[in-house]
Structures are given as C-alpha cells and as structure tokens.
Amino acid sequence: MDEVETWLRQWERRLGTGMADPVVQANVGMFRPRRVVGTLCPDDVEQVRAIVGSVVKGVTLYPLSTGHNWGLGSREPVRDGAVVLDLRRLDRVRLLDLDLGVAVVEPGVTQGRLAGLLSDSSYMLNVTASSAHTSIVGNALERGVGLRRQRCEDVAGMEVVLADGRLIRLGNWPDEEGRVVPYGHEVGPALMPLFAQSNLGVVTAAVIRLLPRPRALHLVRLTFDASRLATVVDELRDCHGQRLISGVLKIYQPPESEECVAYCCVDGDPELAALSCALLMRRVERTRLFDDVHDYVGDEQLPGQLRRCLSGDPSWNELVLENWFGTSSRGIDANPGNGYLFFLPLLPFQGAAVARARALVREVCAETGTQWRATVNAISCDVIDLVVSCLFPKAMAAQAHRALDLLHRRFADCGWRPYRLDVDHMSAGGPPDVLRRLKEVFDPRNVLAPGRYEPP
Ligand SMILES: Cc1cc2nc3c(=O)[nH]c(=O)nc-3n(C[C@H](O)[C@H](O)[C@H](O)COP(=O)(O)OP(=O)(O)OC[C@H]3O[C@@H](n4cnc5c(N)ncnc54)[C@H](O)[C@@H]3O)c2cc1C
C-alpha cells in the first residue's frame, strides 16, 4: 500500500463510510468520468480541518457540498486522482435570526430545509429552480442564480478551512451572542469573493441574508411571437429598470415553437403590488407587442413552480426533475434515459444581443442535430444570464457535447462568456500570473481541487 492509500484507509476507518445515500459515480451531463481514489464524509468542521491539515504528498481533495451540480459535472472533480471531500454531513443550521433575517448554514443544509424552517416567518430564502435537495452553500460558491438574485449576493460571511488546516472567517460573522450585521464586505480588500469559483479553500459555513417575504405577489404572463423577441427584451428592460418588475425576469423560448413567454414578478405591499401590476399590464398592452397579457393566477406546472420559487418555496422543483429524468433527485445522475447539459453565457440586457444569441443557438442545433433551449434570466437591469440547456437521449451524448463545445466557441466570438463553467471547460478569466500567485499563497502544495477555475 502506498502512502496515499494508507492515509485514505486511515481516514475511511476513522469516519466510517455510513452514508445514508451511497455515492454513484455517474454524471447526468455525461462528462468523462474522472478517476476518483476515494470519498471522505466528515461530520464536522474539526474533522475537515484534520483531514485537510494531514494530507500526505500525492493527495488532492475535491470538496463538494451536496454534489448536485447537474449539467456542469455533478460530483466529478475537474482532474483525475482526487479524493472527494463530501461535506453533506455538515448539515447544521448554526443560527437562524428571524428578527434580522439571517441564517448561518453549513454546506449540507439544503434549500428545501431552510425554506421549510422559514415557511411561517416574515422572511424567505432566495431559492433556485433546482431540487430542494441542493445545497445553499454549494450553489452560492458557484455564483448560482436564484429566482430573486444571484446567490452570491445572499452571502454576508464565510467560514473557510485553508489548505494548511487553519480556519478563517471572512465578511461579517456573528459574535458569541449571535450579533451580526449582514453586510457582505470586509473593511479593506475583499477576501471573501476569492473563495467563490475558486480552489483556494474549503468552505464550511456561510452567513446567508434572507429576504423579506412580500405580502402580495403577482405573476404577469406575457405571450409573444419570437419575431418580436428583440423589441420585447428592450421593452421589458425598461419596465425592469423602472421597478415595475422585481426578482429575476424570465423569458422562455421553447425550441419546438415560435411562441415565447415572459414571466414578470410584481410584488410587495398588496396595494402597491396591485397598482404596479395594473400599470405594467396597461403599459405592455399599449405596445401591441404581446398576443396575451395575463395576471396569471392558475397552477399550471411552470408558472406554479415559478410562483412558489419566487415566494421562497422550492417544493415543486422536484416535479420538473421527475418529468425529465423519470426519477427523484437521488437517481438523476444514474438515470438510464436522459442526459442534461448547461451552457450559461452572460449577455448585455439588450434585445439585439438576445436575438443574436437565439440565432447562434439555433445554428448549433441545426449543425449537430441536437435540441437546446435558451431561457433569458435577467439578473439585474443590465445583465442577462442566458440559460442554454439540452435534455438529450443518452445515445446522443457525443452530439450534445460537440454542440456544447461549439456554443462555447461561437458565443466567445461574440464576446459573451459564461458566468459559470462545467468540468470540461474550466479556465478562470483573471490575469493568470496573479491567479497562480494567489494559489501559491493559499495552497502551495496544490492540494485543493486542482484545475477548478484555474488559468488555462
Ligand atoms: C432542472 C434543473 C434546474 C436547475 N436550476 C438551477 C437554478 O435555478 N440556478 C442554479 O444556480 N442552478 C440550477 N441548476 C444546476 C444545479 O443543480 C444547482 O446549481 C445546484 O445547486 C448545484 O449543486 P449543489 O448545490 O449540490 O452544489 P455542489 O455540487 O455541492 O457544489 C458545486 C461545486 O462547488 C464547489 N464546492 C461546493 N461546496 C464547496 C465547499 N463547501 N467548499 C469548496 N468548494 C465547494 C465544488 O467544486 C462543487 O463541484 C439546475 C439543474 C437542473 C437539472
């Protein structure tokens, strides 16, 4: 037995393998499976520190929270030969302050669990459209996108185990009496962002800012023909900028039809929300761009799911996953039927850009015989996260991955880069020499997640 194996076996004996949910070495994206030499599931932060601090030469660790990074690699490390450091058992909600609207959660705390704890309160969690069983910390570290805003905006503090086993706390962290100001910056140079989309540390907890729960919520559904996409995007940008729309504006462009649908959230105090909703509807009706304008109150699957997510409830998300993969979130990676991929470029919030992006996606579909759908997620009044996704029969994996490579190239040619990357396309965008020097400072032995968001 070599030194690496001896180290691993010792830790496996110490921690036990007793995972309620055994690890499946498969990924729904059908990326090349990486060679994983073992999986360690620590129970608490002290064990994480001891593992990280004790690694012997040749060990690399790939930390993950719940490992549901579907469409981007799931649990696969970027490089071969890693020990996966699975943090799902770190699942304590360390603090929940419902006066202030702040929670301190560990990586194994799922969005469904925290949302449940908030259900009767005046606060809600910014939830994503992914499964209720996904991690708040894992998603925030990828700068994932919730229905209200980008998840990194929810983070006000971070607890990090460094590569030498030291524990540091960044941003704003509660004192012994639980007092905290949920402000997401330190005084002086900001260190907390260095640990998102990086491989500089293992995050063992985060301070999460909750959102005041709106007392009224309208979901305005606008239906229009794809030929008007550019004009509609510009019109809705102005509505967003004038605060007639809150949260993340969504525009769905189903590949099988020319009918697009925008969902606009209008919420807040009931009287104000009713007035804003009436104003928004009057305004968009006057444009004559839309075939149907509706203050939607029904419970069809998609708007029903959106309405719940906008109210901080991810419980309907599981239905979508079950429809697509014929299984609950546990079985998605190993499901026999369908694969799934994401390409996530950022665009300026401009109609011409969205229309051009739609044309690019269609060209790639035609060239590769695959079907990708592009959904506009306007995450601010100036930026769109275009969610380009492909649900494909597993027999079409090669074509789907060829399409993914083409999308990366074609969008890059237009100057549009993804905000977040899959395991086959990992390369950080910052100055390579600075990034390399940071890695040397934080992790000189290159133990943590080699290849993850590193310079090319
Ligand atoms: C139908 C569908 C809808 C989806 N909708 C959304 C959506 O609305 N928004 C969205 O953002 N995503 C969405 N996703 C993608 C994905 O499922 C989520 O982003 C999910 O939250 C990621 O998985 P996770 O939370 O288990 O994170 P993990 O897989 O645990 O973490 C992601 C990565 O972050 C790093 N990491 C995680 N934890 C740590 C840590 N503690 N320390 C250091 N590094 C760490 C690791 O490199 C890991 O690979 C969707 C997927 C599907 C299939």
Side-chain angles (χ1 to χ4, degrees):
M1 222 190 300
D2 69 9
E3 214 187 343
V4 172
E5 221 185 313
T6 311
W7 178 88
L8 183 61
R9 300 295 161 247
Q10 271 171 2
W11 271 111
E12 280 173 350
R13 267 199 305 278
R14 204 162 139 189
L15 301 175
T17 47
M19 277 186 288
D21 192 4
V23 172
V24 178
Q25 182 63 12
N27 70 80
V28 70
M30 301 196 72
F31 294 97
R32 175 184 69 79
R34 273 51 175 179
R35 188 173 54 79
V36 169
V37 299
T39 299
L40 296 177
C41 289
D43 286 308
D44 56 37
V45 179
E46 285 315 309
Q47 287 184 348
V48 174
R49 295 183 65 184
I51 292 168
V52 175
S54 71
V55 293
V56 295
K57 194 163 185 284
V59 172
T60 60
L61 296 172
Y62 197 83
L64 46 83
S65 293
T66 46
H68 297 322
N69 205 14
W70 298 309
L72 297 156
S74 302
R75 302 173 55 88
E76 301 289 352
V78 179
R79 300 249 173 93
D80 287 307
V83 174
V84 169
L85 188 61
D86 183 327
L87 301 176
R88 75 174 89 172
R89 282 183 184 162
L90 271 73
D91 62 356
R92 284 194 309 140
V93 177
R94 293 195 202 162
L95 177 97
L96 186 56
D97 182 335
L98 293 177
D99 290 325
L100 193 56
V102 73
V104 178
V105 296
E106 296 185 344
V109 176
T110 63
Q111 56 170 353
R113 184 156 147 236
L114 186 56
L117 293 175
L118 298 172
S119 61
D120 293 324
S121 79
S122 54
Y123 284 99
M124 66 175 189
L125 176 67
N126 171 31
V127 303
T128 71
S130 192
S131 160
H133 302 291
T134 55
S135 163
I136 299 162
V137 171
N139 182 265
L141 290 179
E142 278 290 81
R143 303 200 187 104
V145 172
L147 268 287
R148 290 287 171 173
R149 59 189 178 193
Q150 203 165 6
R151 268 277 178 78
C152 44
E153 292 180 42
D154 298 340
V155 179
M158 248 185 220
E159 182 183 83
V160 185
V161 172
L162 297 178
D164 57 6
R166 258 183 313 153
L167 187 87
I168 57 168
R169 285 174 175 166
L170 301 170
N172 284 284
W173 199 264
D175 63 14
E176 292 80 49
E177 288 162 50
R179 291 176 304 195
V180 62
V181 179
Y183 175 67
H185 308 278
E186 291 114 345
V187 175
L191 293 177
M192 200 166 63
L194 288 178
F195 295 89
Q197 294 193 350
S198 85
N199 58 6
L200 302 179
V202 180
V203 177
T204 48
V207 179
I208 301 295
R209 298 162 58 215
L210 305 171
L211 291 162
R213 193 180 291 283
R215 285 193 204 102
L217 192 150
H218 298 258
L219 192 62
V220 176
R221 179 160 80 176
L222 309 171
T223 310
F224 61 97
D225 189 84
S227 58
R228 297 189 208 116
L229 181 62
T231 325
V232 166
V233 168
D234 289 331
E235 176 65 26
L236 293 182
R237 179 184 180 179
D238 193 56
C239 296
H240 197 285
Q242 294 307 311
R243 303 198 190 93
L244 287 173
I245 300 172
S246 55
V248 170
L249 160 74
K250 299 231 173 209
I251 306 177
Y252 295 88
Q253 311 160 47
E256 63 278 1
S257 91
E258 289 300 300
E259 188 179 83
C260 300
V261 185
Y263 285 101
C264 312
C265 170
V266 185
D267 65 2
D269 169 84
E271 279 181 63
L272 181 64
L275 284 171
S276 299
C277 184
L279 190 58
L280 174 67
M281 288 176 62
R282 218 171 38 237
R283 181 176 157 164
V284 295
E285 267 162 0
R286 269 204 305 262
T287 64
R288 299 185 184 280
L289 289 169
F290 301 96
D291 303 317
D292 189 39
V293 176
H294 213 82
D295 179 2
Y296 185 82
V297 286
D299 241 354
E300 282 167 62
Q301 185 170 309
L302 176 62
Q305 181 199 6
L306 283 181
R307 182 190 292 285
R308 277 168 182 76
C309 283
L310 284 160
S311 312
D313 168 11
S315 61
W316 271 35
N317 298 356
E318 218 65 12
L319 287 176
V320 177
L321 297 169
E322 279 179 22
N323 283 350
W324 288 357
F325 303 107
T327 168
S328 69
S329 55
R330 265 189 211 175
I332 286 175
D333 281 312
N335 91 83
N338 286 329
Y340 192 68
L341 285 172
F342 273 126
F343 172 62
L344 302 165
L346 293 177
L347 308 180
F349 197 159
Q350 282 174 332
V354 175
R356 175 82 187 109
R358 177 178 160 85
L360 287 180
V361 173
R362 294 185 129 204
E363 277 164 32
V364 169
C365 290
E367 276 173 56
T368 55
T370 54
Q371 265 211 344
W372 293 71
R373 64 174 60 216
T375 301
V376 167
N377 270 349
I379 55 175
S380 63
C381 60
D382 44 11
V383 175
I384 283 170
D385 150 32
L386 192 72
V387 178
V388 187
S389 62
C390 181
L391 181 71
F392 56 93
K394 287 201 163 173
M396 298 269 294
Q399 290 95 317
H401 279 265
R402 193 166 89 78
L404 179 64
D405 289 339
L406 282 177
L407 286 167
H408 274 274
R409 264 183 268 146
R410 301 275 163 87
F411 275 72
D413 289 346
C414 294
W416 298 328
R417 311 243 167 219
Y419 84 89
R420 173 178 175 188
L421 299 166
D422 64 69
V423 282
D424 277 358
H425 294 91
M426 279 283 172
S427 65
D433 55 331
V434 178
L435 291 171
R436 285 203 188 94
R437 279 161 65 189
L438 281 172
K439 184 69 174 166
E440 276 162 28
V441 168
F442 283 100
D443 181 15
R445 291 184 299 160
N446 201 16
V447 169
L448 300 176
R452 175 170 156 79
Y453 293 99
E454 279 188 343

